[in-house]
Structure formats: C-alpha cells, structure tokens
Amino acid sequence: QVQLVESGGGLVQAGGSLRLSCAASGRTFSSFTMGWFRQAPGKEREFVAAINWNGDSTGYSDSVKGRFTISRDNAKNTVNLQMNSLKLEDTAVYYCAAKHTYGSSWYRRRSDYDYWGQGTQVTVSS
C-alpha cells in the first residue's frame, strides 16, 4: 500500500503560477511511476503529466505541455507539478497517482495507476 497526499492547490489569477506537491508514504517511493490527473466539473478525469521512477522520462498532455513541469525527489518521497501561465480551463481538482513498476516508462491511462490521492482544488480566475 501507498498513501498519497496532495497539497498546494488554491485560487490564482489567469497567467499566474501554482506548485502542487504530493507526499507519498508506505512503500519504496522509487519503485513507483507517478502521475498527475485532473477532473473539472462535469468532465472525465484526464491525464496531465507523468514521470518515471528516477525522473529521467516525463510526459505531458498537449494542453499543458510547455506550461507545466513534473518533477520528483525520491529522497523526500515527493512529486511536484509546477504550473505556469495558468488558464481558466486549468480549473479542476488535481489528483496524484502512483503505479508500482520496475520499468522505466511513464503512463497516461487512469487504469494504469494503482493508488490515488484525495485531490486538491485548483481554481483559475479571470
């Protein structure tokens, strides 16, 4: 088992920045690929970004590429999502997810992930 707790959400104006963090506990963090997803009201939960076990491979959705950066610190058991140039359409609940794997890949499907956090609200205002 692994427990995931997100933090860093809040209200920000369009064009601003936020940094989300996800703290993991319970198992060896470096054996997990980590991902960020988001869900806006009335919409499906969608992939945002992912990072492999040692951080040398990352992936992003087209909607956030160039604006968001995912990173991890295996010594601190955390994964972060730096969000810049925020847009109104980035408003959503953001979820951290973990997939136990010994591979070097990252994953974009919700069904690939084994564990989920409770989510943190990000609201972008005009």
Side-chain angles (χ1 to χ4, degrees):
Q1 290 289 334
V2 65
Q3 292 76 44
L4 304 174
V5 179
E6 302 96 336
S7 62
L11 176 64
V12 63
Q13 285 192 324
S17 298
L18 276 177
R19 183 176 176 87
L20 304 184
S21 292
C22 173
S25 62
R27 291 186 68 174
T28 304
F29 183 66
S30 59
S31 66
F32 287 88
T33 287
M34 301 299 296
W36 284 97
F37 289 74
R38 67 186 182 186
Q39 188 167 16
K43 294 189 176 182
E44 295 283 322
R45 191 173 300 189
E46 65 174 4
F47 171 75
V48 175
I51 189 167
N52 73 335
W53 75 276
N54 66 352
D56 68 0
S57 182
T58 58
Y60 299 90
S61 67
D62 288 342
S63 62
V64 308
K65 196 174 297 183
R67 300 188 297 122
F68 290 11
T69 302
I70 189 171
S71 61
R72 68 188 295 160
D73 185 338
N74 286 348
K76 296 182 178 179
N77 289 2
T78 58
V79 60
N80 301 303
L81 185 69
Q82 178 66 41
M83 306 187 296
N84 298 330
S85 302
L86 282 161
K87 304 177 180 180
L88 297 178
E89 53 264 41
D90 294 319
T91 295
V93 177
Y94 283 71
Y95 296 90
C96 174
K99 174 181 175 57
H100 188 232
T101 178
Y102 294 106
S104 60
S105 300
W106 53 268
Y107 302 87
R108 66 169 61 241
R109 297 183 307 178
R110 288 181 297 169
S111 58
D112 288 324
Y113 289 83
D114 306 307
Y115 303 99
W116 293 84
Q118 293 300 305
T120 185
Q121 177 70 47
V122 172
T123 303
V124 184
S125 65
S126 58

